[in-house]
Amino acid sequence: MNRNLAWDGWRGCAILLVLIGHFFNTQWVWEDRMGVDVFFVLSGMLMSGILFEKRLSLRDFYIRRLSRVFPVLFVYVMFIYTFSWLFAIEFSATEVVSSLLFMRTYLPVEPHIWETGVVINHLWSLNVEEHAYVLLSLMSLVLIKRNQIGVLLLLLAAASMALGFYQFNRLSTDELNLYLIRTESAIVFILFSAGYGLLRRQYKWTVHPWVPVVCVLLAFLCYAHAAPLWLVFAVSPVLLGVSVNHLDRLPVVINQFLCIPAIRYMGLWSYSIYLWQQFFYNTSWVYPGGPLTACVLAILVGIASFYIVENPVRLWINNRWSSSPQYRG
């Protein structure tokens, strides 16, 4: 699966949605959650291609994933818990360990990730992604035929949707908000996109160039505060999953937009920006200029994090331990 420049633009749009939702909330649409889900569907599509089509060795797969995700996460977690200790915000050693091991959504049960005073609330999305990658990598050990894998992934996505409906009808609002960030709920975006992508490439499905655009616009409506909440976990995974898997079929004008350097660079820096923006969002009231200043600082610190930590450490680890030349340098 050859790299598409529009993928970086897709990530750029995702991080912009997160920033808008946090720093400039419009009060009528759930922008930040949509931004995270936009990241999820791209991850599902890419990881299914790497594991089930390219058949990358699991050794290189985990080296590649951890080299990108863990170093800057470690820096952020150490910074945020040190900051919390200095300002007497209570936390336990279990919270630190579970944050680093992608388990903070589950451990400790109390205080749960929404209740803690430490700024690690947004790490729930990393938990979901890493859990999904473990599941997909284990599947790649025992499953060979791509069409069967694709169908199984779609069935698992349907099971996640069904579980979502079950919980939607029995949980209180607060309990549901916590459930929607757990892996068994949010993984539907990754699973559907991964399964649909495999089948789409296997059977060479094509759509009209404007279908991906329409799907994104319809998905955007699912996140409106006035829309039923179940649309987020039952309809938007399908719309966003179909859209991202057909980015190679976009109308020229939309493709050109996603390839604008500013949008693409935001996508390149998006992981580091995503990590650091939460701190500035939670402390935006202390800065002159409020949310606008905090947003600018979040972007600048995220860019610095990319060039000082994320990218050089990733390249160093891949060059040292990856056996696949395409993942070096």
Side-chain angles (χ1 to χ4, degrees):
M1 191 163 54
N2 296 324
R3 182 175 180 81
N4 186 335
L5 294 180
W7 295 343
D8 285 334
W10 181 270
R11 290 190 185 95
C13 291
I15 194 62
L16 287 173
L17 283 168
V18 172
L19 294 175
I20 291 170
H22 281 175
F23 296 99
F24 313 103
N25 195 330
T26 63
Q27 300 297 320
W28 63 273
V29 69
W30 201 3
E31 302 101 338
D32 48 332
R33 177 56 196 253
M34 182 178 181
V36 172
D37 293 339
V38 167
F39 279 123
F40 282 160
V41 292
L42 181 61
S43 293
M45 178 191 71
L46 295 177
M47 291 307 108
S48 68
I50 289 170
L51 287 169
F52 301 118
E53 294 181 309
K54 289 184 176 180
R55 291 286 173 177
L56 181 69
S57 71
L58 292 193
R59 176 180 181 274
D60 275 345
F61 175 75
Y62 282 114
I63 288 174
R64 185 186 183 195
R65 288 305 309 158
L66 291 176
S67 69
R68 181 174 187 270
V69 172
F70 193 76
V72 69
L73 172 66
F74 180 83
V75 171
Y76 178 80
V77 169
M78 290 300 99
F79 167 83
I80 211 64
Y81 278 105
T82 301
F83 176 90
S84 299
W85 174 72
L86 290 173
F87 285 86
I89 300 173
E90 293 185 2
F91 62 88
S92 65
T94 302
E95 293 178 63
V96 181
V97 174
S98 63
S99 295
L100 289 172
L101 296 182
F102 309 106
M103 292 299 295
R104 188 59 188 86
T105 317
Y106 297 92
L107 298 173
V109 176
E110 296 294 343
H112 63 65
I113 197 168
W114 279 161
E115 288 183 338
T116 179
V118 183
V119 188
I120 45 80
N121 319 83
H122 60 318
L123 298 187
W124 70 267
S125 63
L126 300 187
N127 297 347
V128 174
E129 285 209 358
E130 300 312 311
H131 298 167
Y133 297 156
V134 171
L135 173 63
L136 293 177
S137 64
L138 293 177
M139 290 174 63
S140 73
L141 290 175
V142 296
L143 300 175
I144 301 298
K145 294 184 178 180
R146 281 185 286 172
N147 58 340
Q148 294 178 354
I149 299 170
V151 170
L152 178 57
L153 288 169
L154 292 182
L155 289 174
L156 291 173
S160 177
M161 290 181 188
L163 185 59
F165 275 111
Y166 171 73
Q167 300 288 26
F168 180 74
N169 290 317
R170 63 181 291 271
L171 298 179
S172 66
T173 300
D174 289 342
E175 291 173 328
L176 184 63
N177 286 334
L178 183 61
Y179 171 76
L180 290 178
I181 65 170
R182 292 167 68 95
T183 298
E184 58 266 34
S185 171
I187 199 173
V188 62
F189 291 88
I190 297 174
L191 293 177
F192 179 85
S193 181
Y196 178 84
L198 281 177
L199 294 176
R200 181 250 166 166
R201 293 187 294 273
Q202 175 79 13
Y203 297 110
K204 297 180 172 55
W205 294 341
T206 60
V207 298
H208 189 279
W210 281 99
V211 166
V213 181
V214 172
C215 284
V216 168
L217 295 176
L218 291 175
F220 187 79
L221 296 178
C222 293
Y223 293 87
H225 291 322
L229 185 58
W230 60 266
L231 292 176
V232 170
F233 62 81
V235 177
S236 60
V238 176
L239 294 172
L240 292 176
V242 169
S243 181
V244 75
N245 276 285
H246 292 282
L247 287 181
D248 58 340
R249 293 279 300 167
L250 288 174
V252 173
V253 64
I254 304 299
N255 188 73
Q256 289 175 339
F257 169 77
L258 291 178
C259 292
I260 292 173
I263 302 293
R264 288 187 56 233
Y265 273 104
M266 284 296 290
L268 184 68
W269 304 322
S270 60
Y271 175 54
S272 280
I273 293 175
Y274 180 75
L275 281 180
W276 290 97
Q277 58 79 32
Q278 195 76 19
F279 172 77
F280 292 97
Y281 166 58
N282 282 41
T283 59
S284 60
W285 55 275
V286 306
Y287 308 109
L292 178 60
T293 302
C295 182
V296 172
L297 287 173
I299 294 172
L300 293 177
V301 171
I303 294 172
S305 173
F306 175 82
Y307 287 110
I308 295 173
V309 181
E310 180 186 340
N311 200 47
V313 175
R314 177 183 64 85
L315 293 177
W316 183 82
I317 292 174
N318 286 345
N319 283 328
R320 187 175 180 85
W321 283 299
S322 177
S323 59
S324 298
Q326 67 266 37
Y327 298 127
R328 302 178 193 162

